Amino acid sequence: MARKWSRYPKKAFYAFVGPWVIGFVLLTALPMVFGLLVSLTNFDGSSPRFKWVGLDNYVELFTDGEAWMALLRTLLFTAIVVPLTIGGSLGLAMIINRRLRALGLWRTLFFLPSVVPVVAMAIMWKLVFNRDSGILNAILGVVGIQPIAWLLDPTAFYALVILMLWGLGAGMIIMLAALQGVPAELEEAATIDGAGRWSVFRHVTVPMISPILFFQVITGVIAALQVFIQPLLLTSSAGISKVSGVPDSNNLYMVQVYKEFFLSNRFGYGSAMLWIFFLIILGLTLLFLRSSQSWVYYEVDTEAEKEGATR
Amino acid sequence: MTTTERETPAGLAPEAKHIRKAEKVRKDKRPPAILYILILLLSVFFIGPFLWLILAALKTPAEWASFPIQVLPDKAQWNNFVDAVTQMDFLAYTANSLFLATTYSVLITISSATVGFGFARLRAPGKKALFLVLLSTMMIPQILTLLPTYVLFSQIGLVNTYWPWILWGLAASPYMVFLFRQFFSSLPRELEDAAIMDGAGWLRIFVQIFLPLSRPVLITSFLLSFTWTWGDYIGPALLLDTDHTTLAVAITAWYQDPNGNTIPTVQAAAAVLYILPVLSIFFFAQRYFVRSTVSSGVKG
């Protein structure tokens, strides 16, 4: 044992992981603690004459109708986007997993949008959603649907959801890897036992990929809750100073935070909103993790599985 | 694209028969024609916006605004691209983006490889706990820390400089660390044994033996960080002013007519130029994106 440890001088380990530890303390932990301090003040972003206001910001937040609305809207958005994303990427993966002609081409086409920078994505979709010159209304017009002002209330919400779904491709690639990790013998055996397609999928495939589904749900929820650049850029007048131009139906929680910071110059209040949001996200994540035992199926040796799958 | 095609049996490949035998029943039958119709419709959804963007970039403003819509321009308006490059200092912003993305990606790749090596091959008390912290920081939404970071940085004068990106780069990214750790853990122990016998230090073992072996991960990390920084909007929008900002922010802010309305055709042309580097990286290095996407999703 002693020899083993001399092989690994402690100093070496700390030196190697040092950059991350220092970075974590200075660039993640410190800003968050700083944010906590700011949330106890009425700091406006520039004037040095701010006051400590204790928990006033938090108390106010509790009765802030707009913030509550934004939070509920964000939860609704998440409840819509996450299942659609997971289901959609699983569906795409199941299509791509068939023996298709020109398979590589389709996979590339579906995957491509997920690497497009958000700014370009927004510019593109604004051209598609344009009420008078957009291709979407032109196509809908062919079947007799009147032009829709996609980027305004209340349809802006749907436009945002469509924009989010456009990036399904990354999820598809993950699901594809998951599907290809399901041993063919298992599905085969179930089929021989007389299981139909649906029950093979429901009782063999889904349990086998449930760890990955679970992970996708968690990261998907965290990602959807904090969406705000997309609504910010998907306005008829884009620009960082135009946060006021975000239509009400896309006023997600982070958009509201942003407004408090840069429209109202309420840095203290905005920081309080951020901290509450952090706690909400943390709580949701822990809730999901606790629920995982009941519906996630792990093969015998979880550790070994993980090592193998990620290689 | 060609390399990834080989990973799964593509229908037309001559070797498909063997693979079919080897895989036995896997998805037995050829898919029905209706599936191809579905695939075509999906392709329209995923590729349509690109085409519409390119068409808009080739129209005159009048053609773009015409109602009912005009799908194809009468004559391709290449001068939209000229306008896109000349109406603002496109080259300067491109240089900013390039500098920022390259610097950050080089730094983050080196630092993440170092930290990942530490977690994979070295031991000391507290390693397990630290790794858990690392994994949970991947769950902290970046945007939650960005606003306080902005406030903090503006207090200490780091706004309108590229220092934030250098600091972030030096600090390693949990996700890349994870990628490197997975890779370095998979290498055999014999690799370092001989070097230890010879009395080499861990730094030398890392730099001379492990780093050269990790080329695919190095490339993945660099390309991913590069496209991410090239595409980032909120970082430069918050931390950089008009002179220092990147292409991503600039193309949303410029290209306005005297009334302050955005000229969609010129902005479309600028957007095409802006995504070209990302798309070419993607087409030439798709397998790196596939690999990193897969490992980011399967770690649960």
Side-chain angles (χ1 to χ4, degrees):
Chain A
M1 205 58 201
R3 246 178 71 226
K4 207 172 173 189
W5 279 97
S6 64
R7 177 192 170 103
Y8 300 109
K10 288 176 207 162
K11 269 190 224 153
F13 172 77
Y14 297 126
F16 270 89
V17 302
W20 168 72
V21 174
I22 296 169
F24 169 71
V25 170
L26 290 183
L27 300 170
T28 305
L30 179 69
M32 291 199 68
V33 172
F34 180 71
L36 187 63
L37 291 178
V38 172
S39 79
L40 303 173
T41 70
N42 63 357
F43 186 50
D44 64 2
S46 51
S47 103
R49 295 173 56 200
F50 58 84
K51 276 203 318 250
W52 293 93
V53 295
L55 293 175
D56 283 7
N57 287 326
Y58 292 91
V59 174
E60 186 189 337
L61 179 56
F62 212 70
T63 52
D64 182 345
E66 252 185 297
W68 275 102
M69 262 312 284
L71 181 63
L72 289 178
R73 194 178 287 115
T74 309
L75 293 177
L76 176 71
F77 175 77
T78 306
I80 293 174
V81 165
V82 174
L84 282 180
T85 313
I86 306 269
S89 47
L90 185 57
L92 282 185
M94 287 171 70
I95 293 174
I96 288 295
N97 204 25
R98 307 277 308 255
R99 302 173 40 73
L100 298 168
R101 284 171 197 281
L103 178 93
L105 172 71
W106 306 123
R107 192 176 46 183
T108 304
L109 291 187
F110 296 171
F111 188 28
L112 186 59
S114 63
V115 302
V116 171
V118 60
V119 166
M121 209 185 269
I123 291 176
M124 255 181 232
W125 279 95
K126 272 158 68 177
L127 295 173
V128 171
F129 283 133
N130 190 296
R131 185 180 173 280
D132 299 319
S133 321
I135 188 77
L136 184 57
N137 277 346
I139 293 172
L140 293 176
V142 173
V143 289
I145 297 175
Q146 290 300 309
I148 298 167
W150 286 102
L151 299 176
L152 301 178
D153 286 322
T155 42
F157 187 78
Y158 304 108
L160 183 62
V161 171
I162 294 174
L163 182 86
M164 299 305 294
L165 291 181
W166 196 56
L168 271 185
M172 172 194 76
I173 294 289
I174 293 167
M175 296 297 181
L176 193 58
L179 288 178
Q180 288 172 351
V182 179
E185 309 91 71
L186 278 185
E187 289 171 342
E188 199 183 330
T191 315
I192 292 170
D193 286 349
R197 272 195 165 190
W198 168 249
S199 50
V200 171
F201 175 72
R202 172 72 190 78
H203 298 291
V204 179
T205 316
V206 169
M208 286 303 289
I209 64 171
S210 60
I212 290 161
L213 280 178
F214 171 68
F215 189 71
Q216 288 304 101
V217 170
I218 287 202
T219 49
V221 166
I222 294 176
L225 286 174
Q226 54 167 325
V227 160
F228 102 107
I229 298 165
Q230 288 86 347
L232 197 67
L233 291 173
L234 200 67
T235 53
S236 24
S237 58
I240 199 77
S241 54
K242 309 272 177 59
V243 62
S244 54
V246 177
D248 281 347
S249 49
N250 280 354
N251 196 38
L252 301 179
Y253 190 86
M254 282 305 300
V255 177
Q256 183 65 22
V257 170
Y258 209 76
K259 281 184 179 169
E260 293 293 353
F261 265 88
F262 297 106
L263 220 57
S264 321
N265 286 322
R266 300 188 67 194
F267 280 46
Y269 189 64
S271 301
M273 285 186 77
L274 279 178
W275 257 94
I276 291 298
F277 201 41
F278 174 64
L279 295 179
I280 291 174
I281 291 179
L282 192 70
L284 276 178
T285 312
L286 292 178
L287 211 68
F288 270 116
L289 285 174
R290 287 199 104 181
S291 79
S292 75
Q293 274 96 0
S294 62
W295 64 280
V296 178
Y297 168 79
Y298 286 108
E299 263 173 300
V300 254
D301 188 354
T302 335
E303 271 307 307
E305 249 296 283
K306 264 190 260 177
E307 300 285 310
T310 35
R311 216 155 270 164
Chain B
M1 201 159 75
T2 41
T3 37
T4 40
E5 236 162 327
R6 259 180 255 131
E7 288 166 12
T8 38
L12 290 172
E15 66 268 25
K17 265 194 181 146
H18 305 286
I19 295 169
R20 195 187 305 184
K21 250 182 218 160
E23 277 207 328
K24 289 192 178 150
V25 285
R26 177 142 216 133
K27 297 298 163 315
D28 38 57
K29 286 167 295 186
R30 283 234 161 257
I34 189 155
L35 198 64
Y36 285 98
I37 298 174
L38 182 63
I39 289 174
L40 278 179
L41 286 176
L42 287 167
S43 307
V44 170
F45 172 63
F46 286 117
I47 298 308
F50 287 102
L51 300 179
W52 193 240
L53 176 80
I54 294 169
L55 286 174
L58 294 173
K59 288 176 187 172
T60 65
E63 284 170 335
W64 163 252
S66 77
F67 187 85
I69 64 159
Q70 181 177 349
V71 175
L72 294 173
D74 293 331
K75 185 171 157 289
Q77 301 294 324
W78 298 107
N79 59 314
N80 282 340
F81 288 91
V82 178
D83 288 347
V85 178
T86 50
Q87 280 187 13
M88 68 175 193
D89 201 342
F90 196 90
L91 276 182
Y93 290 124
T94 309
N96 290 353
S97 280
L98 264 181
F99 174 76
L100 209 61
T102 313
T103 312
Y104 174 79
S105 310
V106 167
L107 290 176
I108 202 93
T109 300
I110 296 171
S111 60
S112 303
T114 312
V115 177
F117 180 84
F119 277 119
R121 311 299 293 204
L122 295 167
R123 292 175 194 182
K127 172 173 157 176
K128 235 184 161 170
L130 277 179
F131 194 65
L132 268 175
V133 175
L134 181 103
L135 288 183
S136 36
T137 54
M138 291 167 85
M139 296 285 188
I140 299 181
Q142 186 235 355
I143 195 70
L144 287 186
T145 52
L146 186 63
L147 282 168
T149 302
Y150 159 75
V151 182
L152 189 62
F153 281 6
S154 59
Q155 296 301 307
I156 54 179
L158 288 179
V159 169
N160 295 330
T161 71
Y162 296 141
W163 277 106
W165 280 266
I166 295 173
L167 294 177
W168 285 326
L170 289 172
S173 113
Y175 169 62
M176 298 300 171
V177 168
F178 186 78
L179 220 59
F180 276 106
R181 189 202 88 116
Q182 293 305 99
F183 178 80
F184 287 134
S185 306
S186 72
L187 298 175
R189 201 187 150 104
E190 286 73 40
L191 268 177
E192 65 220 35
D193 283 349
I196 291 178
M197 298 279 235
D198 290 349
W202 280 102
L203 186 64
R204 234 181 88 194
I205 296 175
F206 169 59
V207 173
Q208 292 187 348
I209 303 175
F210 282 85
L211 215 49
L213 286 173
S214 67
R215 226 184 77 150
V217 194
L218 290 172
I219 297 175
T220 306
S221 166
F222 178 84
L223 291 181
L224 225 69
S225 315
F226 188 92
T227 47
W228 186 81
T229 319
W230 184 268
D232 184 27
Y233 172 81
I234 195 66
L238 276 179
L239 295 168
L240 300 174
D241 61 15
T242 341
D243 287 333
H244 294 86
T245 205
T246 59
L247 205 51
V249 176
I251 62 171
T252 65
W254 290 75
Y255 308 123
Q256 286 165 353
D257 62 19
N259 299 323
N261 297 316
T262 306
I263 312 166
T265 52
V266 180
Q267 193 182 44
V272 170
L273 295 176
Y274 166 64
I275 58 172
L276 270 183
V278 176
L279 294 190
S280 15
I281 291 177
F282 178 76
F283 277 116
F284 287 110
Q286 193 187 150
R287 62 202 166 105
Y288 295 105
F289 285 86
V290 170
R291 186 192 321 220
S292 67
T293 309
V294 168
S295 53
S296 77
V298 207
K299 62 175 166 275

